[in-house]
Amino acid sequence: MSGQSPSPPSTVGSGEATSSTNRRRRQNNANEELAATVSSNLSEQGFTSERFRVGAPPLQLLPLESYPIDSTAPQQKIGFDQMLPRIKQILASKNVDAPQDEIELYYRRILGEPGLGDLTVLIEANWNDEACQSWLYAVEAIRSLLASNPLTKDIKVEISSWQAFTEKAIEVVEADHPLVGAWPDIKPYLHNILRSFPRLNNNWITIDVIRMDFVTAPLPYPIVVSITVDWSLDPKDWLLAENQIQALLTSRGFPQVRPEFERGNFQYAAGFPLQTLPDKHLWGDIIYADYEHRVTMGSDIGPAKYFRRHPSNLEMSGPSATLGGYVVARREGEEPIKLGVTNYHAIRETMDGFMYIDSDRNDPRQPPIMAPIAPDSELGRIDRKGMGQNWSGRSKMTLECPSRRKHNITLQYHERHIQQMQARPQGQLTREAASEIQSRIDSVRKLYGRKRDFFDKEKNLMGYPWLCSGFRFRTEENGKLDVALIEVDPARVGDNRIPESSAWTETKDPNRRPLPSACNEPLKGIASCKDGAKLGTVFKVGSRTGATSGELHSIRSDVHTDDDKASKMPYSTEYCFVGTEEALTLSGDSGSFLFTVDGKWLGLIWGGPKKQNVVNPLIYVTDAQALLDGLHEISQKKCKFELARD
């Protein structure tokens, strides 16, 4: 965008909006304005509110898992039982439509996180026109009540409706939709609106134009301009901007397209305390077979060290990521070298200057956060300027495959499996059944031993960073360059071979889910994200979700990550893809290659927004040719790069 930014339109055309639609919008706006006023008063005390969900202290992103407290907090349960009649009275007095049997005390935690989570009074209620106001006042009153009792003073409160827990799905905006052609003209006006609100201008994260609705809704889903903002914001911060964006869309002939603000973030992989391994594992955490010696396309990688959280000194693993595949670097007068490709953000933990700190000094069970990066540290310099192939300290930045994150979870899984088999009552088994179980135990023990030896004998070590982008390089189309090249141990170098067809375990629909035609063959050539919908179904192989497929969106997303803001970089504009029925990627798949049905390399996955309850989230991708051109620039034009052909 160049020149002076345009101003938003001052008038609103009726367009195609019906009177009933306008009435609903006026009613929703009136309710949300009232809620914003209440929220403004409460937010200073640690209250937040959003559509279908209100809580105090501030809510965590969904999905959360809830489970009974059993005997882990008997005193708090006693206090809650004493307070329950008064809680019911508060709900009735505030006109909260909550069934009497839908008020429970639970532990609530992020799915798969270690630790017990937060003790929470969870109230399931029915959302109505008055809920924006009544729920906020009810939460305030219940929190005050709980705070008055030493047994319950630390218990959180959450009121939610069924809509807050219902899964949503994303569909692509078709290439021939009129909004696709109009969006380049609309987008500058939208950014101008955001700039006029300082808190929004500094705290928006993504702007995605998508079709999105509850999974139970009929297709096609409505088109939404989905704006993800920082978790610190409240509805009062975006309500007026939302109205102005709706006016902008209506004036351009798209009244049925609605803006929708949502608190969210990026979901980067994070470590976990070794003393409290997750007792429920997410998809892809466990490696069931023997560890592979060769590091192939889609392999799991991570930093080859443990970390100490400060100030608790709790030992923890680092994150895991994906080695997407291989490229070849050619430099005049030197032999070509085959290098692995992943994201820069996925290997930053190997560098001096990276540190985890406790997010809650009083509760080391809570997930850690990254400490601020010192500008004069090795990591601070690489963040700003990247890292060339002759960087003197790179031999200290050791990477491994598989990651110790997955290694530790895998060993724990095998230990539990052995314990479960040993717990079978021997007296109730036939001799043949007992012998079969013992044979299985012996087999798992041998597998466990081979995996421990793999790490004990340092077979996990796989290489060092060779070239890194840092956070300040962009493609010619203003796409983010988040890339690192890895010099892999020659004995472990793999290839760009597409997995066999059996790797794709998604529900097969021949009309929507074709398999790659080049299964079990190397990638051959490069395709361009510019081809858009003509690409059809696209594929990836990640270390977390394995082999999955998706589709290209017709409108690129604007993205402004925390790393961009810390590096004083403007927002980037990204190609985005979405899984056609389920998640194309999850945390840990960063660095995966994306490729076409005929086996051409399309791009490098680097991240995506975490939208609440979405089953098939967006992912952002750097175009393959733009990535190779960017690597040429990062090398100061000393190297040329191409896709490895084997």
Side-chain angles (χ1 to χ4, degrees):
M1 189 167 55
S2 61
Q4 186 174 0
S5 300
S7 301
S10 57
T11 59
V12 179
S14 59
E16 303 169 12
T18 64
S19 59
S20 61
T21 301
N22 286 330
R23 282 197 299 272
R24 286 195 299 272
R25 286 183 182 140
R26 286 194 294 270
Q27 181 65 56
N28 290 338
N29 290 344
N31 289 336
E32 293 182 2
E33 286 169 1
L34 183 56
T37 302
V38 178
S39 180
S40 177
N41 296 329
L42 299 181
S43 60
E44 296 178 0
Q45 307 169 42
F47 290 73
T48 59
S49 173
E50 58 192 9
R51 190 177 289 120
F52 309 132
R53 196 166 173 242
V54 176
L59 303 173
Q60 299 187 88
L61 282 171
L62 295 173
L64 299 175
E65 55 184 350
S66 303
Y67 52 100
I69 64 172
D70 298 327
S71 59
T72 54
Q75 296 302 310
Q76 290 91 331
K77 181 66 166 65
I78 292 172
F80 167 74
D81 289 340
Q82 294 172 348
M83 295 290 187
L84 185 56
R86 296 178 64 184
I87 292 174
K88 293 179 178 179
Q89 291 175 0
I90 290 172
L91 294 173
S93 68
K94 304 300 182 184
N95 297 318
V96 176
D97 183 12
Q100 295 291 299
D101 59 350
E102 296 294 345
I103 307 170
E104 298 287 349
L105 184 64
Y106 288 111
Y107 280 113
R108 296 271 282 163
R109 70 178 181 187
I110 297 174
L111 186 67
E113 287 287 354
L116 294 173
D118 298 322
L119 270 176
T120 305
V121 176
L122 181 61
I123 302 164
E124 295 187 23
N126 297 313
W127 183 265
N128 53 40
D129 290 343
E130 290 75 36
C132 288
Q133 177 186 13
S134 61
W135 287 19
L136 282 163
Y137 284 133
V139 166
E140 179 187 30
I142 295 170
R143 272 296 301 146
S144 297
L145 173 65
L146 296 175
S148 67
N149 187 329
L151 298 179
T152 58
K153 63 182 180 64
D154 295 324
I155 296 177
K156 296 185 176 184
V157 181
E158 178 179 342
I159 304 178
S160 299
S161 73
W162 65 268
Q163 291 99 327
F165 304 105
T166 301
E167 292 180 335
K168 293 184 287 186
I170 295 174
E171 292 281 331
V172 301
V173 177
E174 53 276 17
D176 59 353
H177 193 282
L179 183 60
V180 175
W183 185 249
D185 181 54
I186 294 173
K187 188 174 81 166
Y189 290 92
L190 185 149
H191 278 284
N192 193 56
I193 292 172
L194 294 179
R195 278 194 294 272
S196 66
F197 296 89
R199 280 181 60 77
L200 285 179
N201 188 45
N202 296 327
N203 290 288
W204 72 268
I205 303 171
T206 70
I207 302 172
D208 306 298
V209 183
I210 52 181
R211 289 190 179 275
M212 182 170 66
D213 207 339
F214 297 124
V215 293
T216 54
L219 295 174
Y221 296 151
I223 297 178
V224 177
V225 179
S226 177
I227 303 175
T228 309
V229 298
D230 186 80
W231 195 240
S232 63
L233 270 60
D234 282 322
K236 69 179 187 299
D237 296 310
W238 66 68
L239 180 61
L240 185 56
E242 192 172 63
N243 291 339
Q244 290 186 12
I245 295 170
Q246 185 66 71
L248 167 64
L249 293 167
T250 301
S251 71
R252 297 305 178 91
F254 301 101
Q256 69 275 56
V257 177
R258 71 179 191 273
E260 186 174 289
F261 283 80
E262 178 180 312
R263 286 188 290 262
N265 52 32
F266 268 70
Q267 184 174 347
Y268 289 119
F272 57 89
L274 293 178
Q275 290 89 332
T276 52
L277 292 172
D279 57 8
K280 292 184 178 180
H281 306 298
L282 297 179
W283 187 13
D285 278 335
I286 301 167
I287 302 173
Y288 296 95
D290 278 295
Y291 295 156
E292 294 287 344
H293 182 68
R294 296 179 70 224
V295 184
T296 58
M297 187 170 75
S299 292
D300 168 60
I301 63 173
K305 63 179 180 180
Y306 291 109
F307 298 86
R308 292 281 180 182
R309 285 168 54 168
H310 299 275
S312 67
N313 204 36
L314 187 66
E315 189 177 51
M316 56 179 287
S317 79
S320 62
T322 297
L323 186 128
Y326 288 89
V327 298
V328 172
R330 299 186 184 277
R331 188 171 182 174
E332 188 174 352
E334 297 182 5
E335 288 293 319
I337 180 172
K338 188 175 180 180
L339 301 164
V341 184
T342 190
N343 291 137
Y344 169 64
H345 79 256
I347 67 162
R348 292 176 72 232
E349 286 82 349
T350 65
M351 301 175 183
D352 288 343
F354 186 91
M355 181 186 301
Y356 283 115
I357 59 177
D358 296 320
S359 58
D360 185 346
R361 296 194 175 197
N362 298 319
D363 187 1
R365 298 172 303 174
Q366 299 301 319
I369 58 176
M370 292 184 291
I373 306 301
D376 59 347
S377 67
E378 176 182 70
L379 180 56
R381 293 192 295 272
I382 296 174
D383 278 351
R384 293 192 307 275
K385 299 180 179 180
M387 187 191 86
Q389 60 269 34
N390 296 319
W391 188 273
S392 60
R394 71 187 188 93
S395 61
K396 298 182 298 181
M397 307 173 187
T398 313
L399 292 159
E400 64 186 4
C401 174
S403 68
R404 59 195 58 205
R405 178 187 191 277
K406 284 196 175 184
H407 171 67
N408 285 313
I409 292 177
T410 297
L411 292 187
Q412 185 197 54
Y413 166 78
H414 289 319
E415 290 168 354
R416 289 180 175 177
H417 189 196
I418 292 172
Q419 292 169 1
Q420 290 169 356
M421 290 190 289
Q422 290 175 329
R424 296 284 296 272
Q426 298 295 313
Q428 301 177 13
L429 300 174
T430 65
R431 180 178 299 178
E432 292 77 8
S435 176
E436 174 65 23
I437 290 176
Q438 186 58 51
S439 176
R440 292 179 185 175
I441 291 173
D442 293 342
S443 177
V444 174
R445 281 177 173 162
K446 290 178 181 178
L447 178 62
Y448 179 94
R450 291 195 297 271
K451 291 180 177 179
R452 288 203 62 168
D453 286 347
F454 198 89
F455 269 70
D456 290 345
K457 296 179 180 179
E458 297 187 340
K459 296 180 180 179
N460 56 305
L461 304 182
M462 54 85 68
Y464 313 95
W466 192 83
L467 191 78
C468 296
S469 63
F471 288 130
R472 295 184 62 84
F473 283 93
R474 294 285 170 83
T475 69
E476 290 187 356
E477 292 186 302
N478 192 36
K480 191 178 182 73
L481 268 176
D482 181 352
V483 59
L485 300 183
I486 310 301
E487 185 174 359
V488 179
D489 180 345
R492 301 198 68 188
V493 171
D495 54 33
N496 287 333
R497 188 169 299 275
I498 298 170
E500 296 181 356
S501 59
S502 59
W504 274 268
T505 58
E506 305 163 308
T507 301
K508 304 295 191 302
D509 179 345
N511 296 318
R512 298 187 64 194
R513 294 294 190 124
L515 293 174
S517 60
C519 285
N520 204 30
E521 297 179 11
L523 293 175
K524 47 187 177 184
I526 293 177
S528 173
C529 291
K530 296 178 183 178
D531 290 336
K534 292 187 294 183
L535 294 168
T537 301
V538 296
F539 305 87
K540 81 99 186 57
V541 182
S543 67
R544 186 66 177 277
T545 56
T548 56
S549 59
E551 296 176 288
L552 173 67
H553 269 280
S554 300
I555 298 177
R556 295 173 69 191
S557 294
D558 291 342
V559 184
H560 204 204
T561 67
D562 289 340
D563 297 324
D564 293 331
K565 296 167 187 175
S567 302
K568 295 181 169 45
M569 291 291 289
Y571 68 83
S572 62
T573 303
E574 304 297 338
Y575 292 104
C576 51
F577 293 78
V578 65
T580 43
E581 290 180 15
E582 55 194 31
L584 180 58
T585 68
L586 290 176
S587 177
D589 288 325
S590 290
S592 301
F593 275 12
L594 199 70
F595 53 93
T596 62
V597 69
D598 58 349
K600 292 182 179 178
W601 182 32
L602 189 57
L604 181 72
I605 292 170
W606 65 266
K610 184 179 179 183
K611 298 181 185 294
Q612 295 194 33
N613 285 5
V614 171
V615 297
N616 57 339
L618 286 173
I619 61 164
Y620 300 137
V621 177
T622 303
D623 178 79
Q625 188 58 56
L627 180 73
L628 296 176
D629 294 341
L631 288 170
H632 180 59
E633 294 295 326
I634 296 169
S635 72
Q636 299 178 344
K637 301 184 178 181
K638 295 178 181 178
C639 297
K640 293 183 178 180
F641 298 88
E642 61 189 44
L643 177 69
R645 302 291 173 160
D646 56 3

